[in-house]
Amino acid sequence: MKLKCPTCGREYDEPVQRCECGEPVEFKLFEGEPYIAKTVWERFYDFWPVEPAMELSLGEGDTPLVKSRIGRELGVRLYLKNETANPTWSFKDRGTFLAVSYAVKAGYGAVGTVSTGNMAASVAAYAARAGLKAKILVSESASDEKLKAVGVYGADVIRVKGDYGRLYFESLKLGEKLGVYFINSDNPFRVEGYKGIAFEIAEEITPDYVLIPTSSGGLFRGIAKGFIELRESGLIEEIPTLVAVQAEGCSPICRAFSEGKERIGRFENPKTIAKAIANPYPPSGNAVLKLLREFGWKCLSVSDEEILEAQRKLAGEGIFVQPASATGVAALEKLVEGGGIEEGAKIVSILTGSGLKTLATAGQGNARECPLEGLENCVSF
Amino acid sequence: MKLKCPTCGREYDEPVQRCECGEPVEFKLFEGEPYIAKTVWERFYDFWPVEPAMELSLGEGDTPLVKSRIGRELGVRLYLKNETANPTWSFKDRGTFLAVSYAVKAGYGAVGTVSTGNMAASVAAYAARAGLKAKILVSESASDEKLKAVGVYGADVIRVKGDYGRLYFESLKLGEKLGVYFINSDNPFRVEGYKGIAFEIAEEITPDYVLIPTSSGGLFRGIAKGFIELRESGLIEEIPTLVAVQAEGCSPICRAFSEGKERIGRFENPKTIAKAIANPYPPSGNAVLKLLREFGWKCLSVSDEEILEAQRKLAGEGIFVQPASATGVAALEKLVEGGGIEEGAKIVSILTGSGLKTLATAGQGNARECPLEGLENCVSF
């Protein structure tokens, strides 16, 4: 606290109200880099477990909530929360930012993660932003193409030969030993970052249902915690019904849920086009299961055909997502057919990541050929 | 105007103040889909030449302005306006949205464009959103890979054999005849949409310089017009110095500017890694030239090596852009070395499009191999 008398110039460290010269004192002029806040991190400042290090922010969060035509024929109102409009084009950035804020504060010189996709790129990017080293552990079979979008940020990418499933726990152990803060899929700071999705939705509408593509369970838990905290703090009256959506070819949580089990089991031979949510033994699976039971929520699984159809429908509205991101919309019909959905219900589907990241699976770039001289025939319809 | 008496229920179409029964009248209850506005389109509502059709919006605009470390060693403050966080991951969406708003209002059933890259995807996406047909004219040599990101939106992609340069004008003629509204690079509504970049920057800081990757000239003209309108309307005091940045291998505007010419000439044999700004005969080139002269602004060109180095520097801050989008940062050193830049000057560089769109040129996805058993040695440093 630095006070100064504008009349005589005398300075004070303690909170006096008037100067010895008899004139009023005032706080010294603001110095340094002004930062005028308006993002979800400031609007919901009290809700974060660590101070968001805004100088490390890349502008994650505050993504568009877009009204969709898709729900119309089903008699519901569908909204799309477009997380592809994040700095590395997936929802992961929200969690990575908060976890990196913590890592820097805690004095780590390096961060890491176990991922080949969205999370790998996100951790690599925020590590670069923060000036930290990044150790990205990927599976032996990860394609060079996918790793390009990670390597550009200058991360140390390590292809690990051996049981990929063990890597999650191995990395946490090793990280603790070596001073590398591993920000895996359900790191507690990462999960907190996802609360912002709930906060932003609640600022715009009061949804009845939220469809959430669910793999590790980190995103689901974060959104759930966000809505629960909003209600506990009195900002909203009711928590919407959350729906965990998985691919049929890898649905360990939905399976355990429908079988009435307390714990998930490993899903053998996972096979789905929705690679980004194909975790056969999700580390937050049991935690998600508990939430589903406690709140009477739902778990729905969808086929690859339904996923691809939903991806096409979304592109038909101008939004190009990864297959995994289309699972929410793919589950919409099942949700409505399942009954109990009131006419005009407000349903939000979370679109998790950009379709540019899975362009290889996006079909052909079909084009007709046409000579310039005959252009009129080609353009007319 | 629908007024109603809450006491007796009588309704009025004209603006009466009290009911015949003697009681006060009121407007009827709001019905329909509520839309509560907060985007750049509403904040600067008066500045658009056509009403933005918000039901067609995909959440374009309101992109992050990120403080960069890059300018520090040069003694300036660099800010990055990250346009890759748009619905189709480039600045084009702002212009496309406004032009499609017009096309729908004007009753067109189809829109079109001449492009193989960012603009093609953007027009295809917004056409899908609006339920319009889309005719995308691409060059004979456009790669299948690039067209994938356009075809997903359901557009009719036409590979035209013949002089690509003529297509711009041919398409406008044909479009008028056939009822297809062509939204090319410097369509006047498109240019208006780009004003939002200036508006958003001015909401956050008062920049001294703005670095703008310049190809057709549409983006440059839009940002210029935005700042000019802000000053004319009294919202800002001074217009920043705008800097058009081109690739050395295709710099028709900078060449004409430095040679003191009134009109640009065709740039023969263009060759640059920055494909998105490699227009050898930009349709708004003369208009940009006039602005540069009138306001005493600057034109700088940068080499492919400088562009790639800038792309690496940006990735080193967590932002992965196309080569064309790195030209602004590539020109920073030249701008400062050119002299006349005050210490601590605030400089904004416009990052136009996502690096995911040019992944093929992004180098290798290098990864080390490591057995799980020896992971400690690989992760330690």
Side-chain angles (χ1 to χ4, degrees):
Chain A
M1 206 179 320
K2 266 287 183 202
L3 287 153
K4 188 177 177 177
C5 174
T7 308
C8 75
R10 193 186 302 255
E11 295 191 4
Y12 298 88
D13 283 328
E14 66 278 24
V16 299
Q17 299 213 43
R18 294 196 79 87
C19 181
E20 285 174 29
C21 78
E23 293 301 314
V25 295
E26 65 184 24
F27 289 98
K28 294 183 77 175
L29 280 182
F30 169 80
E31 281 177 354
E33 200 62 53
Y35 168 74
I36 295 149
K38 62 175 186 186
T39 74
V40 67
W41 304 111
E42 295 96 13
R43 296 198 305 280
F44 292 83
Y45 189 81
D46 290 336
F47 288 91
W48 315 117
V50 62
E51 182 160 11
M54 294 314 295
E55 72 279 10
L56 307 180
S57 170
L58 291 168
E60 58 294 319
D62 286 304
T63 55
L65 185 69
V66 174
K67 185 79 194 294
S68 170
R69 290 190 297 257
I70 295 172
R72 277 193 207 156
E73 73 278 15
L74 297 167
V76 297
R77 288 178 284 183
L78 179 67
Y79 298 82
L80 307 167
K81 184 66 174 162
N82 188 359
E83 291 293 306
T84 77
N86 266 304
T88 74
W89 311 292
S90 88
F91 74 99
K92 296 284 185 183
D93 292 337
R94 296 177 184 262
T96 306
F97 166 62
L98 207 58
V100 167
S101 290
Y102 166 72
V104 167
K105 192 179 179 133
Y108 284 94
V111 292
T113 199
V114 178
S115 163
T116 50
N118 292 322
M119 192 160 60
S122 183
V123 169
Y126 281 82
R129 174 75 179 164
L132 300 176
K133 286 200 170 78
K135 303 283 181 180
I136 311 295
L137 309 184
V138 306
S139 67
E140 200 177 345
S141 60
S143 75
D144 282 349
E145 194 60 26
K146 267 194 167 175
L147 300 185
K148 270 190 179 184
V150 180
V152 289
Y153 298 107
D156 185 9
V157 182
I158 303 165
R159 232 185 246 286
V160 185
K161 289 184 185 186
D163 179 8
Y164 191 67
R166 268 177 57 201
L167 256 182
Y168 174 97
F169 297 100
E170 284 295 322
S171 67
L172 293 185
K173 261 194 291 183
L174 258 180
E176 211 166 305
K177 187 171 170 189
L178 300 171
V180 179
Y181 190 65
F182 267 84
I183 308 167
N184 291 349
S185 55
D186 59 355
N187 166 282
F189 290 101
R190 173 177 291 290
V191 170
E192 289 289 309
Y194 301 151
K195 294 192 309 192
I197 296 174
F199 298 162
E200 292 168 21
I201 292 171
E203 284 182 299
E204 296 202 48
I205 60 166
T206 51
D208 300 299
Y209 297 86
V210 182
L211 296 157
I212 307 168
T214 301
S215 179
S216 72
L219 176 61
F220 188 93
R221 286 177 49 219
I223 295 175
K225 192 156 181 287
F227 279 115
I228 293 167
E229 289 181 358
L230 286 177
R231 192 190 55 184
E232 294 304 305
S233 60
L235 289 176
I236 62 172
E237 293 294 315
E238 282 184 56
I239 297 173
T241 298
L242 302 197
V243 184
V245 185
Q246 300 205 288
E248 277 177 6
C250 185
S251 50
I253 299 173
C254 288
R255 187 179 62 183
F257 186 61
S258 69
E259 291 175 355
K261 296 205 172 126
E262 286 252 327
R263 301 182 69 77
I264 59 157
R266 176 177 292 276
F267 202 93
E268 300 301 337
N269 305 317
K271 191 173 179 306
T272 170
I273 192 167
K275 302 284 179 218
I277 57 166
N279 191 325
Y281 193 60
S284 277
N286 299 326
V288 170
L289 212 48
K290 187 162 175 287
L291 282 169
L292 294 176
R293 294 259 159 68
E294 203 172 315
F295 287 90
W297 290 339
K298 293 168 192 288
C299 200
L300 295 174
S301 60
V302 288
S303 70
D304 278 8
E305 291 68 39
E306 289 167 327
I307 291 169
L308 288 170
E309 172 63 17
Q311 190 190 30
R312 270 191 297 273
K313 276 189 191 167
L314 284 165
E317 296 225 328
I319 304 181
F320 178 32
V321 299
Q322 308 175 356
S325 305
T327 51
V329 170
L332 183 65
E333 218 171 300
K334 262 176 206 165
L335 177 68
V336 175
E337 282 168 3
I341 314 289
E342 56 278 39
E343 178 80 18
K346 283 173 281 185
I347 303 175
V348 177
S349 188
I350 313 295
L351 308 182
T352 48
S354 167
L356 292 181
K357 295 189 175 199
T358 53
L359 211 47
T361 68
Q364 289 306 307
N366 282 331
R368 296 192 282 153
E369 295 218 337
C370 184
L372 183 53
E373 288 65 36
L375 194 57
E376 182 167 345
N377 291 329
C378 302
V379 172
S380 68
F381 48 94
Chain B
M1 205 179 315
K2 266 290 183 199
L3 287 152
K4 188 178 177 177
C5 173
T7 308
C8 75
R10 195 186 298 255
E11 296 191 3
Y12 298 88
D13 283 328
E14 65 278 26
V16 299
Q17 299 214 41
R18 294 195 80 85
C19 181
E20 285 174 28
C21 77
E23 292 302 313
V25 295
E26 66 185 22
F27 288 97
K28 293 183 79 176
L29 279 182
F30 169 80
E31 280 178 354
E33 201 62 53
Y35 169 74
I36 295 148
K38 61 174 187 185
T39 74
V40 67
W41 304 111
E42 294 97 12
R43 298 198 305 280
F44 293 84
Y45 189 80
D46 290 335
F47 287 91
W48 316 117
V50 61
E51 182 159 11
M54 295 314 295
E55 72 280 9
L56 307 180
S57 171
L58 291 168
E60 59 294 320
D62 286 304
T63 55
L65 185 70
V66 174
K67 184 81 194 295
S68 169
R69 291 190 297 258
I70 295 172
R72 278 193 206 157
E73 73 277 16
L74 297 168
V76 296
R77 288 179 284 183
L78 178 67
Y79 298 82
L80 308 167
K81 184 66 173 162
N82 188 358
E83 292 293 305
T84 78
N86 265 306
T88 73
W89 311 292
S90 90
F91 74 100
K92 295 283 186 183
D93 292 337
R94 297 177 184 262
T96 307
F97 166 62
L98 207 59
V100 167
S101 291
Y102 166 72
V104 168
K105 194 181 179 126
Y108 284 95
V111 293
T113 199
V114 177
S115 162
T116 50
N118 292 322
M119 191 160 58
S122 183
V123 170
Y126 282 81
R129 175 75 177 165
L132 300 176
K133 287 199 169 76
K135 303 283 180 180
I136 311 294
L137 308 185
V138 306
S139 69
E140 200 177 342
S141 60
S143 75
D144 282 348
E145 195 58 25
K146 267 193 167 176
L147 300 186
K148 270 190 179 184
V150 180
V152 290
Y153 298 107
D156 184 10
V157 182
I158 302 165
R159 232 185 245 287
V160 184
K161 288 185 184 183
D163 180 7
Y164 192 66
R166 268 178 56 203
L167 256 184
Y168 174 95
F169 296 101
E170 284 294 323
S171 67
L172 293 185
K173 261 194 290 181
L174 257 181
E176 210 165 307
K177 186 171 170 190
L178 301 171
V180 179
Y181 190 65
F182 267 84
I183 308 167
N184 290 349
S185 55
D186 59 355
N187 166 282
F189 290 100
R190 172 177 291 291
V191 169
E192 289 289 308
Y194 301 151
K195 295 191 311 192
I197 296 174
F199 298 162
E200 293 168 20
I201 292 171
E203 283 183 300
E204 296 202 49
I205 61 167
T206 51
D208 299 299
Y209 297 86
V210 182
L211 296 157
I212 306 169
T214 301
S215 179
S216 71
L219 176 62
F220 188 93
R221 286 177 49 218
I223 295 175
K225 192 154 182 286
F227 279 115
I228 293 167
E229 289 181 357
L230 286 176
R231 191 191 55 183
E232 294 304 306
S233 60
L235 289 176
I236 62 170
E237 293 294 316
E238 282 183 56
I239 297 173
T241 298
L242 301 197
V243 185
V245 185
Q246 300 205 288
E248 276 177 7
C250 184
S251 48
I253 299 173
C254 288
R255 188 180 60 184
F257 186 62
S258 70
E259 290 174 356
K261 296 204 172 126
E262 285 250 331
R263 301 183 68 79
I264 58 159
R266 177 177 291 275
F267 202 93
E268 300 300 337
N269 304 319
K271 193 177 176 305
T272 171
I273 192 167
K275 301 287 179 216
I277 56 166
N279 191 325
Y281 193 60
S284 277
N286 298 326
V288 171
L289 211 50
K290 187 163 175 283
L291 282 168
L292 295 176
R293 293 258 159 69
E294 201 173 316
F295 287 89
W297 289 341
K298 292 169 193 285
C299 200
L300 294 174
S301 60
V302 289
S303 70
D304 278 8
E305 292 67 39
E306 290 167 326
I307 291 170
L308 288 170
E309 172 63 18
Q311 190 189 31
R312 271 192 296 273
K313 276 189 191 167
L314 284 165
E317 295 224 328
I319 304 181
F320 178 34
V321 298
Q322 308 175 357
S325 304
T327 50
V329 169
L332 184 65
E333 216 171 301
K334 263 176 207 164
L335 177 68
V336 175
E337 281 169 0
I341 313 290
E342 56 278 38
E343 178 80 18
K346 283 173 282 186
I347 303 174
V348 177
S349 188
I350 313 296
L351 308 182
T352 48
S354 166
L356 292 181
K357 296 189 177 200
T358 53
L359 211 47
T361 66
Q364 288 307 306
N366 283 330
R368 297 192 283 152
E369 294 220 336
C370 184
L372 184 54
E373 288 64 38
L375 194 59
E376 182 166 346
N377 291 329
C378 300
V379 173
S380 68
F381 48 96

